Amino acid sequence: MRKLALSMRVSEASNYFEMRNSLAFEYVELFEKLGFIVIPIPNNSKYVTENIEELNVDGIVLTGGNNVNPMLYNGKDELESVYEQRDETENKLVNIAIKNNIPLLGICRGFHYINIHFGGSIYHNVKDHVKKYHLLISKNKSLNNTSTNSYHNQAILKNNLSKDFEIIASTEDNVIEAFHHKKYKILGIQWHPERQDTKEDKELIVNFFNK
């Protein structure tokens, strides 16, 4: 079976201070349903690179949750749920993917981080994109006019997008929903496929990792 390495979010215990690596059940369920073995990558490991190379993974996924540190893109906003350990881990994962030609998928926060890694930025406090559904506008026939979920306060608009990416899909209010790298096998999507069970999402993910 093919193996996917997944980044994990950082969370804290509610009644006492303890930082934790966590991964929503839905990610495991989605990727196992699609025939992948899921390998979580903790944020506090010193051996991220060694783990990926030793495990010989077929793909890497940067998952959702947490915010990317605005200092990485010269942002002025002060955000909660920012953890340098996660930013550093995902920086390593992107570099490993490029170096070893491993397909890289970014979901929501992962979508944001990948854009920032390549010199892009983020638009803050986007309106009407939390607990909503939007229709996609895309030249990709399988994505065009499909409904996707939305759970984000930050977004990527055209002027935020790194020049290294091409837009695959957007919304009517010009929020970018998907992009791909012009050179490397990197795909970013704003929505959460693990929170919806659609044929289009399954085909998009399987085709991306299997090509």
Side-chain angles (χ1 to χ4, degrees), residues 109-143:
R109 177 230 148 84
F111 167 83
H112 295 162
Y113 181 80
I114 290 171
N115 181 52
I116 290 167
H117 185 92
F118 287 92
S121 61
I122 291 178
Y123 176 81
H124 290 274
N125 300 317
V126 62
K127 299 185 183 302
D128 297 321
H129 277 262
V130 178
K131 296 183 180 179
K132 301 281 187 176
Y133 277 82
H134 300 281
L135 292 179
L136 296 182
I137 300 171
S138 176
K139 293 180 180 179
N140 184 321
K141 292 182 179 179
S142 64
L143 291 179

mmCIF file of all heavy atoms in Angstrom, residues 109-143:
data_model
loop_
_atom_site.group_PDB
_atom_site.id
_atom_site.type_symbol
_atom_site.label_atom_id
_atom_site.label_comp_id
_atom_site.label_asym_id
_atom_site.label_seq_id
_atom_site.Cartn_x
_atom_site.Cartn_y
_atom_site.Cartn_z
ATOM 1 N N ARG A 109 -4.849 25.285 6.266
ATOM 2 C CA ARG A 109 -3.610 25.893 6.767
ATOM 3 C C ARG A 109 -2.412 25.430 5.923
ATOM 4 O O ARG A 109 -1.500 26.211 5.640
ATOM 5 C CB ARG A 109 -3.388 25.525 8.233
ATOM 6 C CG ARG A 109 -2.034 26.100 8.763
ATOM 7 C CD ARG A 109 -1.219 25.024 9.452
ATOM 8 N NE ARG A 109 0.207 25.177 9.322
ATOM 9 C CZ ARG A 109 1.001 25.938 10.078
ATOM 10 N NH1 ARG A 109 0.508 26.678 11.019
ATOM 11 N NH2 ARG A 109 2.294 25.954 9.858
ATOM 12 N N GLY A 110 -2.399 24.146 5.514
ATOM 13 C CA GLY A 110 -1.323 23.647 4.670
ATOM 14 C C GLY A 110 -1.263 24.379 3.345
ATOM 15 O O GLY A 110 -0.177 24.656 2.809
ATOM 16 N N PHE A 111 -2.415 24.709 2.788
ATOM 17 C CA PHE A 111 -2.562 25.521 1.576
ATOM 18 C C PHE A 111 -1.940 26.894 1.789
ATOM 19 O O PHE A 111 -1.187 27.401 0.955
ATOM 20 C CB PHE A 111 -4.068 25.588 1.294
ATOM 21 C CG PHE A 111 -4.559 26.582 0.297
ATOM 22 C CD1 PHE A 111 -4.526 26.293 -1.065
ATOM 23 C CD2 PHE A 111 -5.157 27.764 0.703
ATOM 24 C CE1 PHE A 111 -5.055 27.188 -1.988
ATOM 25 C CE2 PHE A 111 -5.685 28.654 -0.205
ATOM 26 C CZ PHE A 111 -5.626 28.370 -1.562
ATOM 27 N N HIS A 112 -2.223 27.496 2.957
ATOM 28 C CA HIS A 112 -1.642 28.794 3.294
ATOM 29 C C HIS A 112 -0.129 28.706 3.461
ATOM 30 O O HIS A 112 0.621 29.545 2.939
ATOM 31 C CB HIS A 112 -2.256 29.330 4.592
ATOM 32 C CG HIS A 112 -3.715 29.628 4.496
ATOM 33 N ND1 HIS A 112 -4.523 29.768 5.601
ATOM 34 C CD2 HIS A 112 -4.531 29.800 3.428
ATOM 35 C CE1 HIS A 112 -5.756 30.029 5.231
ATOM 36 N NE2 HIS A 112 -5.788 30.041 3.907
ATOM 37 N N TYR A 113 0.324 27.678 4.201
ATOM 38 C CA TYR A 113 1.756 27.586 4.470
ATOM 39 C C TYR A 113 2.553 27.403 3.181
ATOM 40 O O TYR A 113 3.611 28.019 3.006
ATOM 41 C CB TYR A 113 2.091 26.445 5.441
ATOM 42 C CG TYR A 113 3.577 26.432 5.679
ATOM 43 C CD1 TYR A 113 4.146 27.320 6.580
ATOM 44 C CD2 TYR A 113 4.426 25.636 4.903
ATOM 45 C CE1 TYR A 113 5.519 27.397 6.731
ATOM 46 C CE2 TYR A 113 5.801 25.707 5.052
ATOM 47 C CZ TYR A 113 6.336 26.586 5.966
ATOM 48 O OH TYR A 113 7.702 26.682 6.096
ATOM 49 N N ILE A 114 2.079 26.564 2.290
ATOM 50 C CA ILE A 114 2.806 26.330 1.033
ATOM 51 C C ILE A 114 2.945 27.625 0.253
ATOM 52 O O ILE A 114 4.017 27.939 -0.289
ATOM 53 C CB ILE A 114 2.094 25.255 0.193
ATOM 54 C CG1 ILE A 114 2.242 23.879 0.868
ATOM 55 C CG2 ILE A 114 2.666 25.204 -1.227
ATOM 56 C CD1 ILE A 114 1.392 22.797 0.227
ATOM 57 N N ASN A 115 1.880 28.417 0.184
ATOM 58 C CA ASN A 115 1.953 29.689 -0.528
ATOM 59 C C ASN A 115 2.981 30.616 0.113
ATOM 60 O O ASN A 115 3.776 31.255 -0.577
ATOM 61 C CB ASN A 115 0.573 30.356 -0.533
ATOM 62 C CG ASN A 115 0.552 31.669 -1.281
ATOM 63 O OD1 ASN A 115 0.980 31.756 -2.435
ATOM 64 N ND2 ASN A 115 0.064 32.701 -0.632
ATOM 65 N N ILE A 116 2.992 30.660 1.439
ATOM 66 C CA ILE A 116 3.948 31.505 2.157
ATOM 67 C C ILE A 116 5.376 30.998 1.953
ATOM 68 O O ILE A 116 6.311 31.789 1.795
ATOM 69 C CB ILE A 116 3.586 31.548 3.652
ATOM 70 C CG1 ILE A 116 2.295 32.345 3.842
ATOM 71 C CG2 ILE A 116 4.709 32.162 4.481
ATOM 72 C CD1 ILE A 116 1.680 32.191 5.205
ATOM 73 N N HIS A 117 5.555 29.704 1.955
ATOM 74 C CA HIS A 117 6.886 29.114 1.766
ATOM 75 C C HIS A 117 7.512 29.592 0.451
ATOM 76 O O HIS A 117 8.731 29.775 0.364
ATOM 77 C CB HIS A 117 6.768 27.589 1.761
ATOM 78 C CG HIS A 117 8.085 26.877 1.684
ATOM 79 N ND1 HIS A 117 8.782 26.485 2.813
ATOM 80 C CD2 HIS A 117 8.847 26.495 0.623
ATOM 81 C CE1 HIS A 117 9.898 25.892 2.442
ATOM 82 N NE2 HIS A 117 9.966 25.883 1.123
ATOM 83 N N PHE A 118 6.684 29.806 -0.564
ATOM 84 C CA PHE A 118 7.181 30.232 -1.875
ATOM 85 C C PHE A 118 7.053 31.738 -2.086
ATOM 86 O O PHE A 118 7.068 32.210 -3.228
ATOM 87 C CB PHE A 118 6.457 29.470 -2.982
ATOM 88 C CG PHE A 118 6.888 28.030 -3.099
ATOM 89 C CD1 PHE A 118 6.218 27.029 -2.423
ATOM 90 C CD2 PHE A 118 7.986 27.686 -3.875
ATOM 91 C CE1 PHE A 118 6.614 25.707 -2.516
ATOM 92 C CE2 PHE A 118 8.402 26.368 -3.973
ATOM 93 C CZ PHE A 118 7.715 25.374 -3.290
ATOM 94 N N GLY A 119 6.935 32.487 -0.989
ATOM 95 C CA GLY A 119 6.976 33.948 -1.091
ATOM 96 C C GLY A 119 5.636 34.636 -1.163
ATOM 97 O O GLY A 119 5.586 35.858 -1.361
ATOM 98 N N GLY A 120 4.544 33.901 -1.013
ATOM 99 C CA GLY A 120 3.224 34.503 -1.035
ATOM 100 C C GLY A 120 2.834 35.036 0.336
ATOM 101 O O GLY A 120 3.622 35.022 1.283
ATOM 102 N N SER A 121 1.600 35.491 0.460
ATOM 103 C CA SER A 121 1.113 36.044 1.722
ATOM 104 C C SER A 121 -0.341 35.633 1.933
ATOM 105 O O SER A 121 -0.885 34.832 1.178
ATOM 106 C CB SER A 121 1.245 37.574 1.720
ATOM 107 O OG SER A 121 0.475 38.137 0.665
ATOM 108 N N ILE A 122 -0.966 36.203 2.966
ATOM 109 C CA ILE A 122 -2.337 35.850 3.331
ATOM 110 C C ILE A 122 -3.162 37.114 3.545
ATOM 111 O O ILE A 122 -2.674 38.114 4.076
ATOM 112 C CB ILE A 122 -2.358 34.999 4.617
ATOM 113 C CG1 ILE A 122 -1.755 33.622 4.360
ATOM 114 C CG2 ILE A 122 -3.775 34.824 5.157
ATOM 115 C CD1 ILE A 122 -1.704 32.741 5.588
ATOM 116 N N TYR A 123 -4.415 37.053 3.132
ATOM 117 C CA TYR A 123 -5.382 38.120 3.401
ATOM 118 C C TYR A 123 -6.150 37.739 4.667
ATOM 119 O O TYR A 123 -6.672 36.637 4.771
ATOM 120 C CB TYR A 123 -6.344 38.273 2.219
ATOM 121 C CG TYR A 123 -7.432 39.291 2.435
ATOM 122 C CD1 TYR A 123 -7.182 40.641 2.241
ATOM 123 C CD2 TYR A 123 -8.710 38.895 2.832
ATOM 124 C CE1 TYR A 123 -8.182 41.586 2.434
ATOM 125 C CE2 TYR A 123 -9.709 39.832 3.033
ATOM 126 C CZ TYR A 123 -9.441 41.177 2.830
ATOM 127 O OH TYR A 123 -10.422 42.104 3.025
ATOM 128 N N HIS A 124 -6.226 38.672 5.623
ATOM 129 C CA HIS A 124 -6.831 38.357 6.915
ATOM 130 C C HIS A 124 -8.282 38.809 7.008
ATOM 131 O O HIS A 124 -8.713 39.747 6.339
ATOM 132 C CB HIS A 124 -6.030 38.997 8.050
ATOM 133 C CG HIS A 124 -4.698 38.361 8.261
ATOM 134 N ND1 HIS A 124 -4.522 37.265 9.060
ATOM 135 C CD2 HIS A 124 -3.478 38.642 7.729
ATOM 136 C CE1 HIS A 124 -3.260 36.896 9.045
ATOM 137 N NE2 HIS A 124 -2.600 37.715 8.239
ATOM 138 N N ASN A 125 -9.015 38.118 7.863
ATOM 139 C CA ASN A 125 -10.396 38.470 8.193
ATOM 140 C C ASN A 125 -11.312 38.505 6.979
ATOM 141 O O ASN A 125 -12.106 39.428 6.799
ATOM 142 C CB ASN A 125 -10.439 39.822 8.929
ATOM 143 C CG ASN A 125 -9.646 39.797 10.214
ATOM 144 O OD1 ASN A 125 -9.706 38.832 10.978
ATOM 145 N ND2 ASN A 125 -8.868 40.850 10.458
ATOM 146 N N VAL A 126 -11.202 37.465 6.149
ATOM 147 C CA VAL A 126 -12.113 37.335 5.021
ATOM 148 C C VAL A 126 -13.524 37.082 5.570
ATOM 149 O O VAL A 126 -13.703 36.408 6.580
ATOM 150 C CB VAL A 126 -11.674 36.179 4.089
ATOM 151 C CG1 VAL A 126 -11.696 34.841 4.807
ATOM 152 C CG2 VAL A 126 -12.544 36.134 2.839
ATOM 153 N N LYS A 127 -14.537 37.658 4.930
ATOM 154 C CA LYS A 127 -15.911 37.559 5.432
ATOM 155 C C LYS A 127 -16.676 36.422 4.753
ATOM 156 O O LYS A 127 -16.426 36.096 3.587
ATOM 157 C CB LYS A 127 -16.651 38.887 5.218
ATOM 158 C CG LYS A 127 -16.017 40.063 5.957
ATOM 159 C CD LYS A 127 -16.839 41.319 5.816
ATOM 160 C CE LYS A 127 -16.156 42.500 6.486
ATOM 161 N NZ LYS A 127 -15.902 42.275 7.912
ATOM 162 N N ASP A 128 -17.601 35.834 5.502
ATOM 163 C CA ASP A 128 -18.527 34.813 4.987
ATOM 164 C C ASP A 128 -17.823 33.569 4.466
ATOM 165 O O ASP A 128 -18.233 32.992 3.457
ATOM 166 C CB ASP A 128 -19.411 35.406 3.877
ATOM 167 C CG ASP A 128 -20.291 36.527 4.396
ATOM 168 O OD1 ASP A 128 -20.804 36.413 5.522
ATOM 169 O OD2 ASP A 128 -20.463 37.524 3.662
ATOM 170 N N HIS A 129 -16.768 33.138 5.165
ATOM 171 C CA HIS A 129 -16.085 31.907 4.759
ATOM 172 C C HIS A 129 -15.916 30.928 5.930
ATOM 173 O O HIS A 129 -15.108 30.018 5.849
ATOM 174 C CB HIS A 129 -14.720 32.222 4.147
ATOM 175 C CG HIS A 129 -14.803 32.587 2.698
ATOM 176 N ND1 HIS A 129 -14.556 31.685 1.684
ATOM 177 C CD2 HIS A 129 -15.143 33.748 2.094
ATOM 178 C CE1 HIS A 129 -14.716 32.285 0.521
ATOM 179 N NE2 HIS A 129 -15.069 33.537 0.741
ATOM 180 N N VAL A 130 -16.668 31.128 6.994
ATOM 181 C CA VAL A 130 -16.625 30.205 8.122
ATOM 182 C C VAL A 130 -17.967 29.477 8.232
ATOM 183 O O VAL A 130 -19.024 30.116 8.285
ATOM 184 C CB VAL A 130 -16.318 30.943 9.443
ATOM 185 C CG1 VAL A 130 -16.330 29.955 10.620
ATOM 186 C CG2 VAL A 130 -14.960 31.625 9.361
ATOM 187 N N LYS A 131 -17.901 28.150 8.226
ATOM 188 C CA LYS A 131 -19.108 27.311 8.273
ATOM 189 C C LYS A 131 -20.057 27.651 7.132
ATOM 190 O O LYS A 131 -21.268 27.791 7.311
ATOM 191 C CB LYS A 131 -19.805 27.452 9.627
ATOM 192 C CG LYS A 131 -18.979 26.954 10.797
ATOM 193 C CD LYS A 131 -19.737 27.050 12.097
ATOM 194 C CE LYS A 131 -18.887 26.551 13.259
ATOM 195 N NZ LYS A 131 -19.592 26.650 14.562
ATOM 196 N N LYS A 132 -19.477 27.788 5.955
ATOM 197 C CA LYS A 132 -20.243 28.090 4.743
ATOM 198 C C LYS A 132 -19.908 27.073 3.663
ATOM 199 O O LYS A 132 -18.967 26.290 3.779
ATOM 200 C CB LYS A 132 -19.888 29.492 4.221
ATOM 201 C CG LYS A 132 -20.139 30.624 5.193
ATOM 202 C CD LYS A 132 -21.599 31.002 5.225
ATOM 203 C CE LYS A 132 -21.811 32.247 6.081
ATOM 204 N NZ LYS A 132 -23.210 32.704 6.075
ATOM 205 N N TYR A 133 -20.697 27.105 2.593
ATOM 206 C CA TYR A 133 -20.392 26.324 1.397
ATOM 207 C C TYR A 133 -20.337 27.265 0.209
ATOM 208 O O TYR A 133 -21.098 28.229 0.132
ATOM 209 C CB TYR A 133 -21.446 25.231 1.168
ATOM 210 C CG TYR A 133 -21.190 23.988 1.985
ATOM 211 C CD1 TYR A 133 -21.580 23.914 3.312
ATOM 212 C CD2 TYR A 133 -20.516 22.899 1.437
ATOM 213 C CE1 TYR A 133 -21.322 22.789 4.076
ATOM 214 C CE2 TYR A 133 -20.248 21.766 2.190
ATOM 215 C CZ TYR A 133 -20.657 21.720 3.508
ATOM 216 O OH TYR A 133 -20.393 20.600 4.256
ATOM 217 N N HIS A 134 -19.394 27.005 -0.700
ATOM 218 C CA HIS A 134 -19.224 27.853 -1.875
ATOM 219 C C HIS A 134 -19.149 26.999 -3.137
ATOM 220 O O HIS A 134 -18.657 25.866 -3.104
ATOM 221 C CB HIS A 134 -17.930 28.674 -1.770
ATOM 222 C CG HIS A 134 -17.875 29.578 -0.583
ATOM 223 N ND1 HIS A 134 -18.519 30.782 -0.531
ATOM 224 C CD2 HIS A 134 -17.244 29.444 0.604
ATOM 225 C CE1 HIS A 134 -18.290 31.362 0.640
ATOM 226 N NE2 HIS A 134 -17.517 30.566 1.336
ATOM 227 N N LEU A 135 -19.607 27.565 -4.247
ATOM 228 C CA LEU A 135 -19.456 26.908 -5.535
ATOM 229 C C LEU A 135 -18.112 27.298 -6.135
ATOM 230 O O LEU A 135 -17.728 28.469 -6.110
ATOM 231 C CB LEU A 135 -20.589 27.307 -6.485
ATOM 232 C CG LEU A 135 -21.985 26.807 -6.127
ATOM 233 C CD1 LEU A 135 -23.000 27.310 -7.156
ATOM 234 C CD2 LEU A 135 -22.026 25.290 -6.051
ATOM 235 N N LEU A 136 -17.405 26.316 -6.672
ATOM 236 C CA LEU A 136 -16.110 26.571 -7.283
ATOM 237 C C LEU A 136 -16.267 27.041 -8.721
ATOM 238 O O LEU A 136 -17.141 26.573 -9.452
ATOM 239 C CB LEU A 136 -15.256 25.300 -7.260
ATOM 240 C CG LEU A 136 -14.855 24.744 -5.899
ATOM 241 C CD1 LEU A 136 -13.976 23.514 -6.089
ATOM 242 C CD2 LEU A 136 -14.133 25.789 -5.054
ATOM 243 N N ILE A 137 -15.372 27.933 -9.114
ATOM 244 C CA ILE A 137 -15.250 28.354 -10.507
ATOM 245 C C ILE A 137 -13.900 27.834 -10.989
ATOM 246 O O ILE A 137 -12.864 28.199 -10.450
ATOM 247 C CB ILE A 137 -15.306 29.888 -10.635
ATOM 248 C CG1 ILE A 137 -16.637 30.419 -10.097
ATOM 249 C CG2 ILE A 137 -15.107 30.313 -12.088
ATOM 250 C CD1 ILE A 137 -16.683 31.932 -9.978
ATOM 251 N N SER A 138 -13.924 26.951 -11.977
ATOM 252 C CA SER A 138 -12.680 26.306 -12.390
ATOM 253 C C SER A 138 -12.747 25.879 -13.850
ATOM 254 O O SER A 138 -13.813 25.535 -14.373
ATOM 255 C CB SER A 138 -12.423 25.068 -11.508
ATOM 256 O OG SER A 138 -11.288 24.364 -11.938
ATOM 257 N N LYS A 139 -11.568 25.895 -14.515
ATOM 258 C CA LYS A 139 -11.472 25.344 -15.866
ATOM 259 C C LYS A 139 -11.472 23.817 -15.835
ATOM 260 O O LYS A 139 -11.670 23.166 -16.862
ATOM 261 C CB LYS A 139 -10.204 25.856 -16.545
ATOM 262 C CG LYS A 139 -10.230 27.356 -16.815
ATOM 263 C CD LYS A 139 -8.944 27.811 -17.499
ATOM 264 C CE LYS A 139 -8.980 29.307 -17.759
ATOM 265 N NZ LYS A 139 -7.727 29.790 -18.407
ATOM 266 N N ASN A 140 -11.219 23.261 -14.642
ATOM 267 C CA ASN A 140 -11.285 21.815 -14.452
ATOM 268 C C ASN A 140 -12.757 21.414 -14.379
ATOM 269 O O ASN A 140 -13.474 21.773 -13.445
ATOM 270 C CB ASN A 140 -10.553 21.442 -13.161
ATOM 271 C CG ASN A 140 -10.483 19.946 -12.928
ATOM 272 O OD1 ASN A 140 -11.426 19.219 -13.196
ATOM 273 N ND2 ASN A 140 -9.360 19.480 -12.394
ATOM 274 N N LYS A 141 -13.222 20.665 -15.356
ATOM 275 C CA LYS A 141 -14.650 20.341 -15.445
ATOM 276 C C LYS A 141 -15.160 19.574 -14.234
ATOM 277 O O LYS A 141 -16.322 19.720 -13.850
ATOM 278 C CB LYS A 141 -14.919 19.547 -16.733
ATOM 279 C CG LYS A 141 -14.725 20.353 -18.001
ATOM 280 C CD LYS A 141 -15.050 19.533 -19.238
ATOM 281 C CE LYS A 141 -14.863 20.357 -20.498
ATOM 282 N NZ LYS A 141 -15.162 19.556 -21.729
ATOM 283 N N SER A 142 -14.305 18.733 -13.642
ATOM 284 C CA SER A 142 -14.753 17.948 -12.492
ATOM 285 C C SER A 142 -14.900 18.802 -11.237
ATOM 286 O O SER A 142 -15.605 18.414 -10.295
ATOM 287 C CB SER A 142 -13.780 16.791 -12.223
ATOM 288 O OG SER A 142 -12.509 17.278 -11.850
ATOM 289 N N LEU A 143 -14.256 19.974 -11.191
ATOM 290 C CA LEU A 143 -14.357 20.866 -10.040
ATOM 291 C C LEU A 143 -15.346 22.005 -10.263
ATOM 292 O O LEU A 143 -15.964 22.482 -9.309
ATOM 293 C CB LEU A 143 -12.981 21.462 -9.703
ATOM 294 C CG LEU A 143 -11.911 20.528 -9.144
ATOM 295 C CD1 LEU A 143 -10.626 21.302 -8.897
ATOM 296 C CD2 LEU A 143 -12.371 19.861 -7.856
#
